Amino acid sequence: MCPPHDPPRPAAPPNPDRDEANDRHARAARELQIRTAQLELIDRQLALVCWTTDSELRLTSVFGTGIPDLPSDPQPYLGQPVHAYFATAGVPEALREQSEAAHRLALTGARSAYQRALGGQLAAVQVEPLRDSAGQITGCVGAMLPLTAPIRLLHELQSSHDRLQTLTAQLLNAQETERRAIARELHDQIGQELTIMTMQLQDLVSAEPAQLPAHVEEVIATIDQVLAKVRTLALDLRPSQLDDLGLDAALRWYFERHCSHARLHLHLDLTPPHPRAPAAVETTCFRIAQEAMTNILRSAQASQVWVTLASDGAGLTLTVRDDGRGFDVAAAHAQAMQNTSLGLLGMEERAAQIGGRCSIESAPGQGATVRVWLPLPPAGAPPEAMSDH
Ligand SMILES: Nc1ncnc2c1ncn2[C@@H]1O[C@H](COP(=O)(O)OP(=O)(O)OP(=O)(O)O)[C@@H](O)[C@H]1O
Ligand SMILES: [Mg+2]
């Protein structure tokens, strides 16, 4: 006799809803596993700390233990105001206010990014709103990343990139402005003189022989005026002294001309390098000096200007100092980054382009000094590297 068998169980009826829920669950679990692995890797590679808060700014989670000045065990701080956790690193009151403001701002939907000193090093902090799946703000999420050398380098690269972008836009604008000025000058100055000359020549055709010499004198006088204007225009664009006589001659001509027009007392102490600096160095130095002088004329209200040019084996130094009203250099830089002016950034970029430096020292009421250092080719360098005039 065969033992009695259990009757076969009927197969569970297909349930598409349950299968899909299982699928979703498996996918979510897998996603969570991947994200956790990624975060653990980030935590090992980067010394960073991330945290979340609820809408009352109480700490709800902390991830990462990479910042030595913060408690390695955040557990006792969960449920406490978020600042209690950071206060353990001896955060000064002003920084606490900054952090509090950033968290409050996040609750309104805004994102803040700032840098702060923490335990002797600089850290980048970012605070953003934390939202639920419906998009409602339920608290804040923040991250703090110490600015180690490579990361600081990245930040500097980014800010230098931003500066370059600003400068490029400003340069294009400046080019158009310059073209417009030259066109206006050609039209108003030269065009006018040539029209006068045409009329004088027409008079000449119908003039009595006895009047001819006087008419010819008039035409010659007009031609002289046109020539003088063309020469000034050309010199403003690129002084021939710069090519023919050297940097010191060009600087002397330029500063004497502008200071005498503006009744400024000028002190010149110019010793050019020997042998002559390469053309790129001379042009850069001259253009920076031009901008420094233009700024003095436009903004300084100075009565005296001091210009020095000196060199040692390694480089050439130019200083342009005035005794005018001075200005807040940091504020002017910040303004320049908003696309409002080109001069200060342009001077610095010009110098940097050939491996030099340009710094501006000033304070309200204290005049201003533009200091430029540009590298010279080493002694004994091949002639083509020494000069390309
Ligand atoms: N020697 C100076 N004395 C007083 N203020 C100065 C001097 N040089 C610069 N500044 C201030 O710094 C600001 C920025 O200078 P910058 O050369 O960048 O711009 P700008 O001269 O106003 O315009 P531009 O782009 O045509 O040069 C000036 O507007 C001026 O307020
Ligand atoms: Mg300027």
Side-chain angles (χ1 to χ4, degrees):
M1 286 257 308
C2 295
H5 283 289
D6 283 342
R9 262 205 289 196
N15 181 343
D17 284 350
R18 190 191 52 214
D19 290 350
E20 200 188 314
N22 283 344
D23 255 17
R24 268 210 309 270
H25 186 261
R27 270 204 307 275
R30 177 82 194 123
E31 183 72 12
L32 191 64
Q33 214 175 20
I34 291 170
R35 292 275 175 254
T36 309
Q38 288 173 337
L39 282 175
E40 279 170 1
L41 185 66
I42 289 172
D43 186 29
R44 278 199 304 278
Q45 295 288 318
L46 291 176
L48 95 171
V49 167
C50 299
W51 64 93
T52 53
T53 75
D54 60 16
S55 58
E56 304 289 321
L57 301 188
R58 284 182 300 238
L59 199 63
T60 48
S61 75
V62 176
F63 166 82
T65 49
I67 298 184
D69 293 277
L70 292 173
S72 55
D73 178 15
Q75 204 61 34
Y77 298 91
L78 298 181
Q80 302 288 322
V82 63
H83 309 296
Y85 176 64
F86 291 105
T88 54
V91 177
E93 196 55 30
L95 289 181
R96 185 192 150 124
E97 277 170 20
Q98 187 181 27
S99 156
E100 230 167 63
H103 281 83
R104 296 211 179 284
L105 213 60
L107 291 181
T108 68
R111 198 171 111 174
S112 311
Y114 57 95
Q115 291 184 3
R116 59 182 282 179
L118 190 86
Q121 62 179 330
L122 205 61
V125 183
Q126 186 133 337
V127 184
E128 298 183 3
L130 177 68
R131 296 175 189 274
D132 63 15
S133 52
Q136 294 297 316
I137 297 175
T138 59
C140 308
V141 54
M144 181 182 285
L145 182 69
L147 292 176
T148 51
I151 295 174
R152 201 161 40 232
L153 219 63
L154 258 174
H155 275 243
E156 279 163 15
L157 210 67
Q158 180 66 43
S159 85
S160 131
H161 173 80
D162 291 350
R163 274 162 60 100
L164 264 176
Q165 263 190 345
T166 307
L167 204 66
T168 310
Q170 290 176 335
L171 274 175
L172 291 176
N173 253 335
Q175 199 180 42
E176 272 318 303
T177 310
E178 193 171 50
R179 283 182 180 170
R180 207 174 301 130
I182 296 169
R184 198 186 315 119
E185 203 86 350
L186 279 173
H187 176 266
D188 295 356
Q189 301 282 333
I190 317 285
Q192 226 167 52
E193 300 286 347
L194 289 177
T195 311
I196 292 173
M197 211 155 72
T198 314
M199 282 156 35
Q200 287 171 335
L201 287 173
Q202 278 164 358
D203 287 350
L204 200 64
V205 173
S206 54
E208 297 293 322
Q211 295 170 325
L212 273 180
H215 278 293
V216 172
E217 289 286 320
E218 267 183 12
V219 176
I220 291 173
T222 313
I223 291 174
D224 281 347
Q225 280 176 26
V226 174
L227 279 177
K229 280 175 183 164
V230 168
R231 197 175 307 123
T232 311
L233 201 63
L235 285 177
D236 278 343
L237 285 175
R238 180 166 175 99
S240 57
Q241 289 95 323
L242 199 53
D243 298 314
D244 305 338
L245 301 174
L247 180 59
D248 53 321
L251 288 173
R252 183 175 299 281
W253 165 80
Y254 181 80
F255 279 99
E256 279 176 350
R257 178 171 160 229
H258 284 90
C259 286
S260 94
H261 274 171
R263 297 182 194 288
L264 289 167
H265 190 53
L266 175 66
H267 308 261
L268 283 177
D269 179 4
L270 308 176
T271 312
H274 183 77
R276 268 184 80 167
V281 173
E282 288 198 344
T283 304
T284 300
C285 189
F286 185 78
R287 294 297 180 211
I288 294 176
Q290 259 184 322
E291 175 57 28
M293 184 71 227
T294 309
N295 279 353
I296 293 173
L297 293 174
R298 198 185 282 169
S299 318
Q301 295 165 5
S303 58
Q304 303 197 63
V305 176
W306 291 261
V307 185
T308 67
L309 177 70
S311 61
D312 57 23
L316 168 157
T317 312
L318 169 85
T319 60
V320 180
R321 178 162 75 87
D322 68 74
D323 63 350
R325 65 190 177 108
F327 66 109
D328 179 339
V329 180
H333 263 114
Q335 281 262 309
M337 291 301 289
Q338 309 293 317
N339 260 336
T340 52
S341 63
L342 178 69
L344 301 182
L345 285 185
M347 288 197 277
E348 288 164 9
E349 288 298 336
R350 268 188 195 277
Q353 222 167 36
I354 58 165
R357 300 184 290 274
C358 173
S359 63
I360 297 129
E361 290 155 30
S362 185
Q366 315 237 319
T369 306
V370 173
R371 226 179 277 282
V372 190
W373 180 87
L374 302 172
L376 289 172
E384 63 272 20
M386 297 295 289
S387 177
D388 40 11
H389 297 286

